[in-house]
Amino acid sequence: MAEMVRKSSVDEIVNHWILAGSCFLLMITGYAFLFHIDAISNVFGGYNSMKNVHNWGGVVFIISLLYSIRHYLIDALHYDADDVQWFKVAGGYLSHKVTVPPMGKYNPGQKLYYLAILGAGIAIALSGLAIWLLKDNAALLLISHLVHNVSFSIFVIAVPVHIYLGTFANPGTFQLMVSGTLSLESAKKRYPKWMKAAGKM
Amino acid sequence: MTNHWIDLKNSDVILAMGGNPASNHPISMKWIMRAREKGAKLICVDPRFSQTAAKADLYAPLRSGTDIAFLGGMIRYILENDLYFKDYLVNYSNAAFLVNPDFKGPADLDGLFSGYNPDTKKYDKASWAFQKDENGIALKDVSLQDPNCVFQLLKKQYARYTPEKVVNITGTPMDKLMEVYKLYSSTGKPNRVGTECYAMGWTQHTIGTQNIRAMTIIQMLLGNMGMPGGGINALRGESNVQGSTDYGILFHILPGYNPVPNAALVDLATYNEKNTPTTKEPGSVNWWSNRPKYVASYLKAVYGTAATKENDFGYSWMPKLDVGMNASWLMIFDKMYKGEFDGFFAWGQNPACSGANSNKTREAMTKLKWLVNVNLFDNETASFWRGPGMNPKDIQTEVFMLPCCSSMEKEGSITNSGRWGQWRYKAIEPQGGSLPDAEIINELFFKVKELYQKEGGAFPDPIVNLSWEYGERDASGKIKHIDTHAIAKEINGYYLEDVYDTKVDPPELIGKKGDLVPSFAFLQADGSTSSGNWLYCNSYVLKDGKPVNMMARRGKEDPTGLGLYSGWSWAWPVNRRIIYNRASVDLQGKPWDPNRALIAWNPTKPAPKGKTGGWDGDVPDGGAPPMASSGKLPFIMKADGIASVFGPGLAEGPFPEHYEALECPVEKNSMSGQRINPTIKIFGDKMDAFASCDMRFPFVGTTYRVSEHWQTGCMTRHCSWLLEMQPQNFVEMSTELAKELKLENGETVVVSSARGKVKAVALVSERFKPFKIADSTVHQVGLPWHFGWQFPEDGSGYDSANLLTPNVGDANTMIPESKAFMVNVQKA
Amino acid sequence: MANETTNNRKALLVTPEACIGCRACQVACKSWNQLPGIKTTNQGTYQNPPDLASAALNIIRYSEVPSQENPVRWLFVSRRCMHCEDAGCMTVCPSGALYRTPEGAVAYDRDKCIGCKLCVTACPFDVPRYDADGKVTKCHLCVDRIGAAMQPACVKTCPTGALKFGDRNDLISTAKKDGFTTIYGEKDLSGLGTIYAFKDEPQLYGMKQNPSIPSSVVFWHTYLKPLSLFGLGGVVAAAAIHYLAIGPHKEKEEEKEV
């Protein structure tokens, strides 16, 4: 059996799915609120209970989002010359013929994506909390409502991109969020700088 | 009301003075606004810019208590400018009558009339009589030129009421005064009609009756009485105050406005002789000549079979006043205060808050052995012993509470201001342990009767002989439950025997024993008919052999287009919607204003016995043909058949004269040397204090009501929806006065008078303005009187404004002067 | 945002000139809607409660303005929900609790209300209030009465015709015929359902000039709401196109994950 490398820790995997699940729940219920989709609200037993699901789902999302910082934030804040080159070739997504520079554990697209999710997540979380708990302040409510919806728009665009890239666009990637491991062979191909840093190359 | 609510829409000019219809009679405004839509003008004369003023085309302020000066000036204006309706005045009033040459008026006697006795404070009215010819008919000068004729005497008295003098008294701006005079006087033409709406703003003065008299004179001068859109309209302060007055709630009248007997009227014959007016005037119907029929029928209704010709129909069982005795409200509480009562039934009232000088009222109740409170709620009266300033340990009065139910929990009639008896149905069963008033009376009656039967007592006859046929009896003979319809039918009256018209030969049967009497024209003086209240005879009649409750009718037809709605409920008398309506036509029976044809003589209308000729329209005041063809005079309730411009019946004079209120801000009456009404009774106890032109109480005070509360607020303060809108006693004042007193709007202040003090929220606005009286500035404030200490229980509503008002009454009616008194306002 | 009820739309016409300030409308509203009394104090005015409240869906505003003729002009103006055609509250309501009745009134379904108070922020007239259960309350033109061809309780009780309910176009044309020069709300927010007949400037009566829904609500409604739908759709479409046109990363190549 080939040697396996662990890319995602168990708690990272668990947290990812908690984050993904809560996010999915929030988006579904968010859409139901936005467009008064009774078919969805009925699943939750009406708008009032759906509101509770949305609010407490939001709490789970926030905790999960904050927990994810320990997994990703440091990496997400560090960039090098290869990262710049990566952008120049658009990560190879627009053509398979270009040469993509060697990457570390995360490519800059992933790093920026994480920062975007973290930023939008904090925005949607804070505005959500304000809508929930500080609704008697009309001006704050009005701004929060706007921020919540701007962030929501970011999420509904970013999340499906993430899903696509993590599944169909990059076969095999999905497994990283299931078992958390990949073969040393694949790891060397995909994350040469990480492997070097880890002394495996 | 001489007219009725809907009739306000037929008016050209509506004068709201002495009342605030927009706030206190909102329904009246429905019709006033209809009139305005057709071009009518609404005038509001009020000390403050009220809700009515806010809707008025013309507003004029006046200082409380100066209405006679204001109206006297209008009389002068009408006479000086020949704006009166001469045909009407000469034919339908006593303007042409000649008065005793010895008569002297205020112009001659510095504010007094001839015959005044300062010791008794009463007038000898001998010189106020009319000159009569050898047949006893009053002498007249239809040219109105004789110096002793009423018209000239009127002119003489009111010549003194110049605009300059009037504004010096009333504080009304001159331009506004003249505008009001001009606009209202424009109704002196046959095709223009003006009406007046008043309420307690006119009555609650020591000169209250004369306030209204002044207006009746104006209405006669302008020919507005009996006209659709005209009349003098008392906007009643309670839904059924007209009904309670009709049924003898006052101490001096029996149901149907028959006088209460006094000790000198020893038998029925003497009573009838003294109280039945006579006249020699040929055209006069003198309707009160029928009084013996109404009194006999009343006694038969009260005492039933026990009332016989031999015992004067039980006349001797009637309670009697001492000669000259006044048993009105203020007198009752004065006597109670002096310890002359053992017990007191406070039935549907709250004297601890409603009585003028409430501190005296509250103190008076401490002298009682027992007090029964019949009410929906506990109130300041029932709980007086634990009220402010009371020490329960010192009070021996035993208080009983009998909870009665509200009007929605029982069936019966109410009579509105327009004299409509309207039947109401029970909406819900009585709540809790409450009972309808009639059931409480029923219980009391049988218990008291039982005691009289058992123990005899001083004078059991009036009780044991009472007829009480109001429903099914139980084994002991007690009526189980009161049948309201049985009462209504008894009020209408029955034929107690077969009654024949003996004027024809052979006598013709007009009424069968046991049948309801169709109208009061059929009532008899010989005991063959009964009627609990002759005015209501015709309210419950037989139609096709079946009893029909006329008051329950709901017909919506309006053939005249004047809004009479003669098929809706029933109006006294005999469904006449506008009384004195024969004054609305000329001598030929043609309406003065063809566009407002209330009644009209129709010579071709089929009449009984194959004759022709009859009246179209409203039920006329008698069916006689027009004046020109041997008809009858229109004012049938007056002995002379005409209206009294000269009215010798009142205590303080045949014409109204301006006197200041007992408590007033001026040292001198600008009109004469007589400052106050010379005929009023002033109580002398230390609790009856008053303070006129006293630096301690420099501001004029008045009381009024608000839409949101009713009377002392006993019912409305318990309704949180209403309390929400008017939660607290308040005092309205001008911004000028607030500035002078350094008060902020909304601040709590104390208002005090010589008799008491009360907390109130200061309501500072431009709606009250200071009055310029002669050379000085007079401030006025006003308070509603709906609040009391007992509820809301936290005391947040404060207490009654009647703690301030003086217990001095009108010389005729003894209604307290709650609308003009002197107060001080201080920071709380 | 205008909807299809415009043509047979009903409306409430307020004519302050006919209002006598008796406040029977306030009581009738409480009675029909079974609202509790509010503990108030007198604050130096007849106006009470001072403003709309969860248990006061309509109030009479009393205002005093200067007058040439008289000491003052005393105005009585009914204040309540304006039943806007462009109803900000309905627009932002996340649960569809606020809805348009067939008669054109803006009513609400208490059970659906989630108590978010967004309607408060979106209302140009500061109308919606919340009750003790955290549910929206406001004038709903007696949705249960008008739906049964009756008049709203306040209109039924008004003695002078200061409140009238009926066909919106008829009310406007009658008021104009009666000499009222300004119909407040005739055009504002695509036409209000509570309209006012004036002979003076509406501002004299304290009416808001050019009422509008907050711009953030308009921005949100016009751009963000579609974006959240089209954004999602666009990404899904783009992913599909990318998959077909360019395809996934092949083996042997450096793999990427995102």
Side-chain angles (χ1 to χ4, degrees):
Chain A
M1 205 174 148
E3 188 187 348
M4 298 302 280
V5 179
R6 176 162 287 278
K7 179 152 191 262
S8 309
S9 65
V10 174
D11 78 308
E12 185 188 338
I13 294 168
V14 170
N15 189 52
H16 172 268
W17 288 116
I18 289 172
L19 192 65
S22 60
C23 184
F24 185 72
L25 186 69
L26 291 168
M27 280 171 63
I28 290 289
T29 52
Y31 269 115
F33 282 128
L34 200 53
F35 295 99
H36 308 158
I37 307 166
D38 289 349
I40 296 176
S41 72
N42 289 340
V43 170
F44 294 95
Y47 283 96
N48 272 295
S49 38
M50 187 166 81
K51 179 185 78 171
N52 291 330
V53 168
H54 189 83
N55 286 349
W56 290 105
V59 171
V60 172
F61 173 81
I62 293 164
I63 293 167
S64 178
L65 184 68
L66 294 177
Y67 190 74
S68 74
I69 286 172
R70 68 190 287 256
H71 302 130
Y72 308 120
L73 186 62
I74 292 170
D75 285 327
L77 290 173
H78 289 86
Y79 297 86
D80 58 20
D82 287 337
D83 290 338
V84 177
Q85 182 58 30
W86 187 90
F87 277 114
K88 285 185 179 156
V89 299
Y93 283 108
L94 298 180
S95 162
H96 297 313
K97 289 171 185 130
V98 296
T99 307
V100 178
M103 287 290 108
K105 194 172 182 181
Y106 302 107
N107 69 41
Q110 287 171 307
K111 290 191 274 193
L112 281 178
Y113 175 82
Y114 178 72
L115 290 179
I117 288 296
L118 185 64
I122 287 169
I124 207 163
L126 289 177
S127 60
L129 285 169
I131 290 169
W132 183 9
L133 303 170
L134 303 171
K135 59 191 169 190
D136 288 322
N137 184 333
L140 182 66
L141 182 55
L142 210 51
I143 292 167
S144 302
H145 179 239
L146 202 60
V147 169
H148 205 66
N149 278 277
V150 169
S151 324
F152 180 68
S153 297
I154 293 171
F155 267 87
V156 299
I157 291 166
V159 169
V161 170
H162 175 73
I163 294 169
Y164 173 64
L165 295 178
T167 55
F168 296 105
N170 295 296
T173 314
F174 186 72
Q175 186 188 323
L176 283 172
M177 276 302 146
V178 180
S179 66
T181 58
L182 73 171
S183 66
L184 182 61
E185 209 54 25
S186 294
K188 282 176 178 171
K189 274 185 198 163
R190 293 189 201 175
Y191 318 110
K193 284 157 82 178
W194 175 40
M195 285 294 103
K196 274 178 194 152
K200 305 263 173 150
M201 270 178 82
Chain B
M1 289 170 92
T2 56
N3 297 39
H4 58 101
W5 296 110
I6 298 173
D7 187 57
L8 293 168
K9 82 183 170 87
N10 297 318
S11 216
D12 292 309
V13 182
I14 299 128
L15 174 63
M17 183 170 174
N20 180 11
S23 177
N24 301 332
H25 311 90
I27 289 296
S28 71
M29 287 304 279
K30 171 177 185 161
W31 305 109
I32 290 173
M33 300 301 256
R34 293 264 174 102
R36 287 184 74 241
E37 280 166 23
K38 291 188 290 180
K41 301 290 179 196
L42 171 64
I43 305 173
C44 174
V45 181
D46 199 297
R48 74 185 161 136
F49 193 82
S50 63
Q51 290 93 330
T52 309
K55 298 291 123 182
D57 299 281
L58 175 58
Y59 165 71
L62 95 168
R63 171 171 63 94
S64 272
T66 63
D67 302 75
I68 290 174
F70 192 103
L71 298 174
M74 177 133 58
I75 294 171
R76 179 184 182 275
Y77 181 87
I78 294 165
L79 296 176
E80 294 280 312
N81 296 292
D82 281 342
L83 297 169
Y84 53 95
F85 186 174
K86 192 172 174 194
D87 283 348
Y88 184 101
L89 189 66
V90 169
N91 290 305
Y92 297 156
S93 85
N94 62 13
F97 283 38
L98 302 188
V99 178
N100 187 334
D102 296 338
F103 173 78
K104 297 268 181 297
D108 309 305
L109 300 174
D110 195 21
L112 293 171
F113 294 88
S114 48
Y116 185 65
N117 180 340
D119 299 328
T120 58
K121 296 173 80 179
K122 283 196 168 74
Y123 279 102
D124 172 1
K125 299 179 183 174
S127 63
W128 303 1
F130 293 124
Q131 301 179 38
K132 295 200 170 155
D133 68 11
E134 61 282 6
N135 298 318
I137 299 173
L139 296 177
K140 302 169 190 88
D141 172 21
V142 291
S143 74
L144 305 178
Q145 296 305 312
D146 190 298
N148 288 318
C149 84
V150 166
F151 185 79
Q152 291 300 329
L153 295 173
L154 186 75
K155 226 173 176 174
K156 185 176 173 187
Q157 177 162 342
Y158 294 104
R160 300 146 57 232
Y161 286 62
T162 60
E164 294 71 26
K165 211 165 228 182
V166 170
V167 299
N168 262 346
I169 294 170
T170 60
T172 310
M174 179 65 88
D175 57 333
K176 294 289 170 190
L177 184 83
M178 297 316 287
E179 270 184 72
V180 174
Y181 287 177
K182 190 174 169 205
L183 182 53
Y184 199 77
S185 305
S186 73
T187 64
K189 300 190 181 71
N191 64 347
R192 279 180 66 79
V193 184
T195 189
E196 209 290 330
C197 297
Y198 73 90
M200 272 57 78
W202 265 2
T203 57
Q204 290 179 352
H205 293 278
T206 43
I207 45 167
T209 314
Q210 294 285 16
N211 281 335
I212 296 144
R213 274 279 300 146
M215 194 65 211
T216 63
I217 292 172
I218 291 171
Q219 290 295 66
M220 287 310 296
L221 289 173
L222 299 173
N224 286 334
M225 293 305 293
M227 292 288 290
I232 301 258
N233 293 304
L235 309 184
R236 300 306 211 146
E238 304 176 26
S239 55
N240 198 20
V241 77
Q242 183 65 52
S244 58
T245 319
D246 295 342
Y247 284 93
I249 197 173
L250 299 173
F251 77 95
H252 63 302
I253 51 174
L254 299 174
Y257 301 93
N258 290 308
V260 167
N262 68 42
L265 307 174
V266 292
D267 55 22
L268 186 56
T270 318
Y271 172 92
N272 282 334
E273 195 201 323
K274 284 279 179 206
N275 289 317
T276 309
T278 55
T279 182
K280 298 279 168 52
E281 289 298 326
S284 175
V285 173
N286 185 20
W287 198 267
W288 279 122
S289 65
N290 294 308
R291 177 162 277 150
K293 299 173 186 172
Y294 305 151
V295 174
S297 297
Y298 171 70
L299 289 168
K300 284 299 290 182
V302 174
Y303 296 119
T305 50
T308 62
K309 214 169 265 180
E310 293 67 41
N311 67 11
D312 251 359
F313 305 118
Y315 173 80
S316 62
W317 300 330
M318 299 283 288
K320 293 183 187 62
L321 295 162
D322 291 337
V323 177
M325 178 184 181
N326 184 305
S328 63
W329 181 273
L330 294 179
M331 303 299 292
I332 288 173
F333 282 93
D334 191 56
K335 294 223 181 289
M336 193 188 293
Y337 176 69
K338 289 172 179 155
E340 294 177 31
F341 284 100
D342 282 345
F344 172 41
F345 266 88
W347 204 305
Q349 54 179 246
N350 188 10
C353 288
S354 66
N357 193 0
S358 292
N359 275 329
K360 181 177 176 180
T361 310
R362 294 172 185 186
E363 191 61 32
M365 290 190 289
T366 66
K367 314 283 173 68
L368 293 167
K369 290 201 177 79
W370 54 265
L371 186 161
V372 182
N373 189 49
V374 189
N375 212 307
L376 268 62
F377 302 103
D378 181 16
N379 57 15
E380 288 77 8
T381 298
S383 285
F384 79 94
W385 50 273
R386 59 182 183 93
M390 295 283 173
N391 185 356
K393 272 196 281 184
D394 300 340
I395 297 165
Q396 301 307 315
T397 314
E398 190 173 3
V399 180
F400 303 88
M401 170 82 193
L402 299 181
C404 61
C405 65
S406 74
S407 58
M408 278 70 80
E409 297 160 289
K410 61 192 180 191
E411 186 176 5
S413 76
I414 68 115
T415 302
N416 76 2
S417 296
R419 298 166 286 104
W420 297 6
Q422 307 200 80
W423 200 257
R424 290 181 174 181
Y425 300 91
K426 178 159 73 175
I428 52 166
E429 289 301 319
Q431 299 292 293
S434 70
L435 285 177
D437 298 292
E439 298 289 352
I440 297 175
I441 292 170
N442 190 47
E443 295 294 323
L444 278 169
F445 169 67
F446 281 100
K447 189 53 81 182
V448 171
K449 187 179 177 184
E450 188 189 316
L451 286 168
Y452 269 117
Q453 279 167 334
K454 232 185 261 169
E455 301 173 13
F459 189 30
D461 309 48
I463 299 295
V464 297
N465 286 320
L466 274 180
S467 161
W468 206 268
E469 302 301 329
Y470 303 130
E472 208 183 311
R473 288 174 188 277
D474 65 13
S476 71
K478 177 172 172 272
I479 300 289
K480 286 195 253 179
H481 289 292
I482 295 283
D483 173 7
T484 316
H485 291 270
I487 298 175
K489 286 187 236 177
E490 182 185 85
I491 285 167
N492 179 82
Y494 294 98
Y495 288 111
L496 304 173
E497 296 160 21
D498 286 348
V499 172
Y500 290 89
D501 180 0
T502 51
K503 284 181 207 136
V504 291
D505 191 37
E508 201 178 303
L509 182 73
I510 51 175
K512 221 165 91 246
K513 181 176 176 179
D515 282 357
L516 291 160
V517 180
S519 87
F520 52 66
F522 298 94
L523 293 177
Q524 307 293 323
D526 62 0
S528 58
T529 57
S530 69
S531 174
N533 185 344
W534 70 276
L535 278 177
Y536 285 78
C537 191
N538 184 237
S539 64
Y540 218 121
V541 297
L542 283 181
K543 285 229 170 104
D544 305 323
K546 288 198 188 81
V548 172
N549 183 356
M550 299 286 277
M551 298 174 281
R553 296 182 309 159
R554 293 295 183 262
K556 291 175 189 162
E557 302 74 37
D558 181 26
T560 62
L562 293 170
L564 298 176
Y565 295 103
S566 304
W568 181 279
S569 76
W570 177 89
W572 70 254
V574 287
N575 207 28
R576 186 170 301 138
R577 299 289 158 146
I578 294 178
I579 57 180
Y580 302 127
N581 53 25
R582 287 182 53 144
S584 71
V585 296
D586 64 14
L587 302 186
Q588 281 72 42
K590 283 207 300 273
W592 294 116
D593 180 3
N595 293 324
R596 252 179 284 234
L598 176 59
I599 62 164
W601 180 253
N602 178 354
T604 60
K605 189 174 182 171
K609 295 174 186 165
K611 293 179 186 166
T612 56
W615 295 94
D616 289 332
D618 195 10
V619 179
D621 271 301
M627 290 289 296
S629 55
S630 73
K632 296 292 184 189
L633 288 161
F635 290 87
I636 61 170
M637 302 312 287
K638 306 293 293 183
D640 295 333
I642 38 80
S644 305
V645 170
F646 186 86
L650 297 185
E652 55 280 88
F655 293 131
E657 170 70 2
H658 169 67
Y659 302 118
E660 289 289 336
L662 175 66
E663 290 190 328
C664 67
V666 295
E667 295 281 0
K668 190 182 169 320
N669 178 357
S670 312
M671 204 56 80
S672 73
Q674 183 62 37
R675 188 168 77 178
I676 61 166
N677 184 339
T679 56
I680 54 171
K681 175 181 171 56
I682 296 171
F683 294 90
D685 191 84
K686 66 172 183 342
M687 284 211 87
D688 304 314
F690 62 93
S692 208
C693 298
D694 186 323
M695 291 297 286
R696 292 174 301 157
F697 306 105
F699 314 124
V700 178
T702 193
T703 62
Y704 37 73
R705 310 181 195 214
V706 298
S707 310
E708 293 79 8
H709 288 293
W710 200 76
Q711 306 292 75
T712 66
C714 186
M715 293 206 292
T716 50
R717 279 185 272 136
H718 283 270
C719 177
S720 62
W721 296 339
L722 299 171
L723 197 65
E724 165 189 314
M725 292 189 285
Q726 284 295 3
Q728 290 178 295
N729 192 30
F730 61 82
V731 55
E732 285 182 285
M733 66 182 76
S734 65
T735 46
E736 290 85 350
L737 179 58
K739 206 172 156 194
E740 216 168 273
L741 300 173
K742 298 189 172 60
L743 297 177
E744 296 287 331
N745 186 33
E747 177 175 353
T748 301
V749 297
V750 173
V751 186
S752 56
S753 77
R755 293 157 296 279
K757 56 185 176 184
V758 65
K759 272 191 184 176
V761 176
L763 228 147
V764 180
S765 86
E766 296 294 328
R767 290 180 288 103
F768 249 125
K769 295 304 278 181
F771 294 99
K772 211 179 152 288
I773 305 298
D775 292 326
S776 59
T777 299
V778 172
H779 290 286
Q780 182 166 349
V781 301
L783 307 88
W785 58 280
H786 302 297
F787 297 92
W789 62 266
Q790 189 264 337
F791 199 90
E793 277 154 345
D794 59 5
S796 59
Y798 304 135
D799 209 341
S800 174
N802 275 319
L803 293 165
L804 308 173
T805 53
N807 56 319
V808 61
D810 173 271
N812 300 283
T813 63
M814 284 294 277
I815 193 169
E817 189 159 58
S818 325
K819 294 295 173 266
F821 50 94
M822 298 303 290
V823 297
N824 192 17
V825 181
Q826 286 165 303
K827 277 182 187 285
Chain C
M1 287 183 255
N3 71 28
E4 70 287 348
T5 61
T6 307
N7 287 327
N8 58 358
R9 191 176 171 199
K10 302 276 191 226
L12 181 90
L13 175 70
V14 182
T15 311
E17 192 176 286
C19 177
I20 56 172
C22 74
R23 295 197 274 196
C25 48
Q26 283 186 224
V27 179
C29 178
K30 293 239 177 196
S31 174
W32 180 257
N33 294 302
Q34 286 297 296
L35 300 168
I38 302 167
K39 178 80 183 163
T40 58
T41 57
N42 188 320
Q43 300 183 350
T45 166
Y46 279 49
Q47 189 169 317
N48 229 341
D51 199 358
L52 297 177
S54 62
L57 311 187
N58 69 345
I59 58 159
I60 294 294
R61 281 195 295 111
Y62 292 74
S63 65
E64 288 165 32
V65 298
S67 161
Q68 301 254 298
E69 286 286 298
N70 289 313
V72 71
R73 255 182 97 175
W74 201 12
L75 308 174
F76 317 126
V77 188
S78 174
R79 163 158 159 71
R80 64 189 51 240
C81 173
M82 303 297 254
H83 300 280
C84 318
E85 184 72 6
D86 284 348
C89 59
M90 274 175 62
T91 304
V92 294
C93 178
S95 65
L98 287 152
Y99 69 98
R100 177 87 52 193
T101 74
E103 298 80 15
V106 178
Y108 52 91
D109 180 341
R110 211 174 166 277
D111 291 338
K112 271 191 174 181
C113 175
I114 61 168
C116 68
K117 297 200 176 174
L118 277 172
C119 48
V120 176
T121 66
C123 176
F125 300 101
D126 183 29
V127 166
R129 295 292 186 273
Y130 279 75
D131 64 17
D133 299 334
K135 302 283 189 178
V136 68
T137 71
K138 65 173 199 68
C139 164
H140 45 74
L141 278 185
C142 289
V143 59
D144 41 355
R145 292 177 60 91
I146 60 175
M150 291 190 284
Q151 295 181 317
C154 56
V155 175
K156 178 82 180 163
T157 201
C158 177
T160 60
L163 299 176
K164 287 193 183 115
F165 178 76
D167 185 274
R168 189 171 183 273
N169 294 332
D170 290 351
L171 288 173
I172 291 173
S173 57
T174 309
K176 284 182 175 169
K177 227 185 293 159
D178 290 344
F180 291 97
T181 46
T182 307
I183 307 297
Y184 181 86
E186 186 181 3
K187 301 265 158 57
D188 293 302
L189 295 161
S190 303
L192 304 180
T194 301
I195 47 179
Y196 291 73
F198 293 120
K199 286 179 181 164
D200 305 279
E201 282 301 301
Q203 292 84 272
L204 181 78
Y205 288 83
M207 305 306 292
K208 191 171 182 176
Q209 229 174 333
N210 303 321
S212 60
I213 300 172
S215 46
S216 76
V217 171
V218 176
F219 172 77
W220 165 79
H221 185 267
T222 319
Y223 300 108
L224 282 182
K225 231 171 124 174
L227 179 65
S228 62
L229 209 53
F230 298 132
L232 177 73
V235 169
V236 171
I241 291 164
H242 179 264
Y243 190 78
L244 295 172
I246 298 163
H249 279 253
K250 305 273 165 25
E251 273 306 312
K252 311 277 181 197
E253 281 187 286
E254 285 183 344
E255 305 270 344
K256 291 158 195 76
E257 75 185 74
V258 162

